[in-house]
Amino acid sequence: MNFDVLVVGGGVSGMQCALVLGSALTKEYAKGKKVGIIMHQRASHLQDALFNNVLGLVPGTLGKDILEEGKKQLEEIYPEVIQIENEKVVAVLDEGEGYKIITNKGEYTSKMVVIALNYAKPFEIAGLEQYVEKHMRANAMKDRIQLRNFNHLIKDGLYVCGTLAGWRSQFAIAAGSGASVATDILTVWNENVPTKVHDKNKKE
């Protein structure tokens, strides 16, 4: 299966990235673009989280519920975004004109890839080992990692977001990081005109 963008990871940053990309697929500059997300969530730190300090979330919201509701939101509002379940990425290989993504169950190609996994060791994705470095914001005692990047960009067509991009493990930061990567990709699609997407109420 071939994609224009494939997001790897179904946590906060990955789903937020996919939601923003999905919201733009009706725009002229995104017509015909194919977006997918590999919804690997088992290792997400969100599974055990409880939230009282996030704007817009009801106090006491559980992370595991956000993961489930996020999948439903993406499926119901932006069904064009293909969700790939129960697969784990083992390699992301530069093919020159794009990337080959190999999972434990199959292979995909994509012009762009967004890595949206958490910052815990071990990190075992072949093709990305050379970018692994010590996390610059996490508590040193926790021995976290990040992928070397500049403003989320590892290299042409390869992005990272969330904690693995070097950000702290806060819900709002992770979501903002994913949205930032999505708008960077939309800007590329829109011939490098700075681009964002806002939902608007339709007036009767």
Side-chain angles (χ1 to χ4, degrees):
M1 192 177 294
N2 302 316
F3 293 94
D4 289 284
V5 179
L6 186 59
V7 180
V8 177
V12 177
S13 64
M15 280 199 285
Q16 185 62 72
C17 183
L19 283 164
V20 173
L21 291 172
S23 72
L25 292 179
T26 58
K27 304 294 185 182
E28 194 60 38
Y29 59 79
K31 287 282 180 68
K33 299 294 187 185
K34 193 170 182 179
V35 176
I37 177 169
I38 297 178
M39 299 293 292
H40 183 67
Q41 295 181 326
R42 282 178 294 177
S44 174
H45 290 154
L46 202 62
Q47 291 283 7
D48 302 317
L50 179 146
F51 295 99
N52 292 317
N53 65 351
V54 178
L55 181 66
L57 289 185
V58 176
T61 296
L62 299 177
K64 63 181 182 179
D65 294 331
I66 293 173
L67 290 173
E68 286 305 313
E69 290 303 315
K71 289 165 64 175
K72 291 178 186 176
Q73 180 181 354
L74 189 57
E75 182 177 5
E76 291 171 5
I77 302 178
Y78 307 117
E80 301 86 1
V81 177
I82 297 170
Q83 294 189 41
I84 302 168
E85 298 276 4
N86 303 315
E87 295 191 31
K88 183 177 180 180
V89 172
V90 296
V92 175
L93 307 176
D94 191 337
E95 297 273 276
E97 294 296 316
Y99 295 87
K100 178 188 288 185
I101 301 90
I102 302 172
T103 76
N104 57 332
K105 295 184 179 179
E107 294 185 3
Y108 307 92
T109 58
S110 186
K111 294 176 183 175
M112 298 181 186
V113 177
V114 180
I115 307 298
L117 301 171
N118 72 47
Y119 60 173
K121 291 182 177 179
F123 184 84
E124 299 175 328
I125 298 180
L128 300 180
E129 311 98 321
Q130 67 268 39
Y131 305 111
V132 175
E133 60 187 21
K134 184 180 177 63
H135 200 283
M136 62 181 174
R137 289 185 176 89
N139 185 331
M141 298 288 289
K142 295 196 173 184
D143 196 23
R144 304 301 191 191
I145 60 165
Q146 65 181 56
L147 297 184
R148 186 170 61 254
N149 69 93
F150 179 73
N151 289 337
H152 296 108
L153 186 66
I154 298 173
K155 64 177 183 177
D156 189 35
L158 182 62
Y159 298 82
V160 59
C161 60
T163 56
L164 197 58
W167 298 110
R168 291 189 177 90
S169 183
Q170 289 283 150
F171 185 97
I173 295 174
S177 175
S180 181
V181 168
T183 56
D184 286 346
I185 291 170
L186 298 183
T187 296
V188 172
W189 287 352
N190 197 22
E191 298 182 353
N192 292 312
V193 176
T195 303
K196 57 187 180 294
V197 180
H198 292 304
D199 297 324
K200 297 179 181 178
N201 288 324
K202 293 182 180 179
K203 295 181 180 180
E204 297 297 331

